[in-house]
Amino acid sequence: MSFRRLAAALNSIAAVSLSPPQSKPIFHRTIQSQLLNPNHSLFISQFSTSFLVTKTPKQFRKKRKKKDSPRTKSVQHDSHKIPHFESIVNQDAALRFIIRTKDYLSKQPEHILRLDDARKLYHELGFSRGRNILRFINAHPLLLETYRHQDEKMWFGFTDLMESLIQEEAEIMDAMEADRVNTVRKLLMISANKSIPLSKLYHRRSLFGIPEDFRDRVAKYPNYFRIKVEDDGKRILELVNWDPLLAVSAIEKEFMVDEDRVKSAFNFPIKRRKLLDLHKDDSKKLDLAISLPLVSPYSNGSKLDNWTVEAEKYRVGILHEFLSLTLEKKASIHHIIEFKEELSLNKNTYDMLLKQTRSFYLAGTEMNWVVFLRDAYDENGDLIHKDPQVLLNRKLYDYANVKDLKEAECGFENAATD
């Protein structure tokens, strides 16, 4: 009896093992299909893998270095930069809006402008195209203000404080008229043909502190200036007479005071000098010849051969004199290009100035650089001799950078104490 029961149990187990399975887990079916199909990848899964990180997160990716371009590449290497000169360039860029807006609004009736019209004048007012001009206006509440006119349009104009600064500037222009006349005379004396288009002087009037109505004031000085009208209607300002007392460059004046310093201010190296085997006295004479810009900017250096040492000395000397006539003893590439014909400059002006590191410092980028007269500034980056117009500009900058009048006045008191 027990034997029969054992045989029945074995038969039932064999029947279960030999019958085909009704269902298998998905995992087993997947493995079986992969084994039967040798071309099927073992790494393909029918489960979703969207939750897996398949790309390097942005914060961990290596940043590609942008290619240097003249628009972004600095003139000076980081190790050679002079911070206070670079900061002056950055400050001028930040305050471009308030300076251009001051000049433009000063010529408008009642010193006001409709906001809708101002949005189209991005170049004239000095703000970036497409930017909201209202943000620039609100950034200088001590100098600019907005209001709604009777026509229900928004307008903006000068505050009372700004109007007082404009009046103070007009008084300075009147008081400094004789000095500005001499500046223009010297500019004409160093120019190639002793003449400069009036439009150029007008466009760059702020560089030399020339008043807005200078073109009208010229008529008061017939012994100094003459206006010639060309066939195309262009008005040219010409020098009437030469004044030998004015024909003394800033370098020559400095030479009388500190001869040794001026001798070391410039350097025009001669190739293969060591091979000359010069005597000590001859070597000293050569040092003098290759250091000073011996060609006066008030001479007719425009006729010198372009690639001679004398011609380079003349161009260095004339740029030094040009910068010494500016209010802040600096000029941008745009200022220099404006007068390139009058100053007899060529395309190598940039490289020429880079070599004269003792007297000039170039700041900014290769496309928009500014050249400074180094000796006109102290070690803190302040002008040694400040024109009254420069002092007024500094006051304007201070008011533009603060939003509270008391804060600005405290700043002026601290500056006066220092």
Side-chain angles (χ1 to χ4, degrees):
M1 192 68 182
S2 61
F3 177 77
R4 289 178 180 179
R5 290 179 182 176
L6 178 62
L10 291 175
N11 290 334
S12 62
I13 293 173
V16 172
S17 62
L18 292 175
S19 62
Q22 297 299 317
S23 63
K24 288 185 179 180
I26 295 175
F27 175 77
H28 292 290
R29 292 206 306 267
T30 304
I31 295 298
Q32 186 178 12
S33 64
Q34 290 175 354
L35 292 174
L36 295 176
N37 186 2
N39 295 324
H40 193 79
S41 174
L42 292 174
F43 300 98
I44 295 178
S45 173
Q46 63 185 22
F47 293 106
S48 173
T49 58
S50 60
F51 63 91
L52 297 177
V53 178
T54 57
K55 293 183 179 180
T56 305
K58 191 174 183 179
Q59 62 269 29
F60 297 116
R61 294 180 199 167
K62 289 184 178 180
K63 294 183 180 179
R64 293 182 180 178
K65 291 185 178 179
K66 293 183 178 179
K67 293 183 179 179
D68 287 333
S69 67
R71 187 182 298 276
T72 58
K73 186 177 181 181
S74 177
V75 175
Q76 303 288 346
H77 189 272
D78 291 344
S79 59
H80 295 154
K81 284 184 178 180
I82 301 179
H84 55 252
F85 286 136
E86 300 291 342
S87 65
I88 291 174
V89 174
N90 294 332
Q91 182 190 56
D92 290 346
L95 295 171
R96 181 174 60 245
F97 171 75
I98 195 65
I99 296 299
R100 291 194 185 180
T101 299
K102 176 182 77 70
D103 292 341
Y104 189 86
L105 278 185
S106 298
K107 293 180 284 187
Q108 302 303 311
E110 300 182 19
H111 298 169
I112 58 175
L113 187 63
R114 194 167 65 173
L115 206 60
D116 290 339
D117 296 331
R119 291 190 177 98
K120 306 171 186 177
L121 301 172
Y122 55 88
H123 179 73
E124 291 81 356
L125 300 181
F127 66 95
S128 303
R129 184 177 184 179
R131 297 291 181 89
N132 187 357
I133 186 175
L134 199 56
R135 292 180 60 188
F136 289 88
I137 295 172
N138 293 336
H140 309 291
L142 295 183
L143 304 176
L144 301 173
E145 61 183 356
T146 59
Y147 65 95
R148 191 171 295 279
H149 203 265
Q150 294 177 353
D151 59 2
E152 295 301 319
K153 297 287 186 180
M154 288 295 295
W155 292 64
F156 83 101
F158 294 147
T159 62
D160 292 339
L161 174 61
M162 187 64 160
E163 292 287 1
S164 67
L165 294 176
I166 297 294
Q167 180 60 35
E168 185 178 349
E169 184 178 49
E171 294 172 358
I172 290 175
M173 293 295 182
D174 292 337
M176 300 296 294
E177 182 172 325
D179 184 76
R180 303 301 186 243
V181 167
N182 285 337
T183 296
V184 175
R185 291 174 69 192
K186 290 173 77 71
L187 283 171
L188 291 171
M189 291 171 70
I190 66 174
S191 63
N193 298 317
K194 309 300 178 280
S195 62
I196 301 175
L198 266 175
S199 59
K200 291 188 178 183
L201 290 172
Y202 178 78
H203 291 155
R204 302 305 175 191
R205 62 189 182 279
S206 60
L207 190 64
F208 306 100
I210 299 173
E212 164 75 25
D213 60 346
F214 176 77
R215 290 175 292 188
D216 299 326
R217 299 193 189 198
V218 165
K220 296 166 54 178
Y221 303 95
N223 295 331
Y224 299 152
F225 310 117
R226 175 174 56 243
I227 296 179
K228 174 185 175 182
V229 181
E230 296 186 340
D231 296 337
D232 57 357
K234 182 186 292 185
R235 295 196 296 170
I236 308 296
L237 186 66
E238 295 181 335
L239 184 70
V240 172
N241 55 56
W242 183 272
D243 189 347
L245 296 179
L246 289 179
V248 181
S249 66
I251 282 292
E252 291 173 310
K253 293 178 182 178
E254 292 177 22
F255 187 79
M256 300 174 187
V257 177
D258 192 346
E259 182 178 339
D260 292 333
R261 192 198 65 76
V262 175
K263 283 181 179 179
S264 62
F266 302 94
N267 186 28
F268 303 91
I270 294 178
K271 294 181 179 180
R272 294 180 290 276
R273 175 184 172 181
K274 293 181 179 180
L275 300 178
L276 297 177
D277 192 22
L278 297 175
H279 188 269
K280 186 177 181 179
D281 294 337
D282 295 331
S283 181
K284 287 183 178 180
K285 292 179 181 179
L286 181 60
D287 289 337
L288 184 61
I290 66 176
S291 60
L292 283 173
L294 300 177
V295 182
S296 172
Y298 292 95
S299 64
N300 195 2
S302 60
K303 294 184 178 180
L304 294 170
D305 292 337
N306 239 346
W307 307 110
T308 61
V309 176
E310 289 77 13
E312 185 173 348
K313 287 183 177 183
Y314 169 74
R315 288 192 292 270
V316 168
I318 206 169
L319 272 174
H320 189 284
E321 184 68 3
F322 177 82
L323 293 173
S324 70
L325 294 175
T326 63
L327 289 179
E328 298 190 24
K329 314 307 177 191
K330 66 181 178 68
S332 73
I333 177 178
H334 310 294
H335 302 147
I336 294 172
I337 287 178
E338 188 87 24
F339 296 94
K340 64 179 181 179
E341 289 87 4
E342 288 74 21
L343 302 181
S344 304
L345 301 177
N346 59 21
K347 62 182 181 180
N348 293 323
T349 300
Y350 173 77
D351 295 326
M352 178 184 71
L353 290 173
L354 275 179
K355 293 189 296 183
Q356 303 297 338
T357 56
R358 299 171 185 170
S359 294
F360 305 112
Y361 178 82
L362 271 64
T365 62
E366 291 182 354
M367 182 174 285
N368 190 20
W369 48 270
V370 177
V371 56
F372 292 82
L373 274 183
R374 296 186 65 159
D375 293 333
Y377 292 79
D378 61 20
E379 58 184 9
N380 297 319
D382 292 326
L383 275 170
I384 298 173
H385 302 291
K386 297 182 180 68
D387 186 273
Q389 180 66 45
V390 173
L391 295 175
L392 179 64
N393 291 342
R394 291 287 182 269
K395 189 188 298 186
L396 177 66
Y397 294 164
D398 291 335
Y399 281 130
N401 284 324
V402 297
K403 296 186 178 182
D404 183 74
L405 185 58
K406 292 183 179 179
E407 181 183 349
E409 291 175 348
C410 291
F412 295 150
E413 291 177 0
N414 294 333
T417 304
D418 294 340

